């Protein structure tokens, strides 16, 4: 089920929300609602099992275990290995589930 279409979330709005979260501040409720809508739509359209192609030789695949809603751990992983990026020299992430089953920052992890 798709959530209603609203204004497209701009890259700068998402970047600003991430910066707020890194400083332990919640983004504005309008931005949060649009992020939740986009993530919900993405998950609704995605299969539960994803087959990945082997990354290019000069790229990295980072496998992340269970986060259990620990936003600080997610930020540490991104700080350590960089933002996801495609193409040569890029970094891909594979998350193994249990994103939000514990931890007070579970929704922010999504």
């Amino acid at each position: 089920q798709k959530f209603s279409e609203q204004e497209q979330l701009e890259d700068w709005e998402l970047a600003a929300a991430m910066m707020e979260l890194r400083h332990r501040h919640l983004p504005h409720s309008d931005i949060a609602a649009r992020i939740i809508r986009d993530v919900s739509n993405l998950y609704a359209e995605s299969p539960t099992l994803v087959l990945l192609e082997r990354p290019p030789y000069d790229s990295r695949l980072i496998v992340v275990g269970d986060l259990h809603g620990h936003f600080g751990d997610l930020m540490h992983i991104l700080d350590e290995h960089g933002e996801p990026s495609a193409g040569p020299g890029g970094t891909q992430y594979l998350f193994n589930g249990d994103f939000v089953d514990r931890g007070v920052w579970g929704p922010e992890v999504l």
Side-chain angles (χ1 to χ4, degrees), residues 53-61 85-92:
E53 292 183 24
R54 188 172 75 196
Y57 177 73
D58 57 350
S59 297
R60 297 183 308 162
L61 175 64
S85 57
T91 302
Q92 297 178 30

Side-chain angles (χ1 to χ4, degrees), residues 1-107:
Q1 173 184 3
K2 278 192 150 190
F3 284 87
S4 64
E5 297 298 323
Q6 298 174 7
E7 183 180 336
Q8 180 78 22
L9 191 64
E10 300 289 335
D11 288 344
W12 69 268
E13 292 173 305
L14 186 57
M18 283 296 295
M19 187 60 70
E20 289 182 53
L21 288 169
R22 282 181 176 273
H23 291 95
R24 302 287 193 216
H25 297 108
L26 296 176
H28 187 272
S29 61
D30 175 60
I31 300 295
R34 289 162 51 200
I35 291 171
I36 291 168
R37 177 209 59 207
D38 290 349
V39 169
S40 296
N41 288 339
L42 177 67
Y43 285 169
E45 296 169 356
S46 298
T48 55
L49 177 63
V50 179
L51 299 176
L52 298 176
E53 292 183 24
R54 188 172 75 196
Y57 177 73
D58 57 350
S59 297
R60 297 183 308 162
L61 175 64
I62 308 298
V63 179
V64 180
D66 301 341
L67 286 172
H68 298 296
H70 295 281
F71 186 74
D73 291 349
L74 175 60
M75 292 297 96
H76 174 75
I77 291 166
L78 293 175
D79 288 342
E80 186 73 21
H81 301 288
E83 295 286 329
S85 57
T91 302
Q92 297 178 30
Y93 287 90
L94 173 63
F95 291 91
N96 283 333
D98 281 348
F99 301 110
V100 296
D101 60 336
R102 300 175 220 154
V104 296
W105 286 84

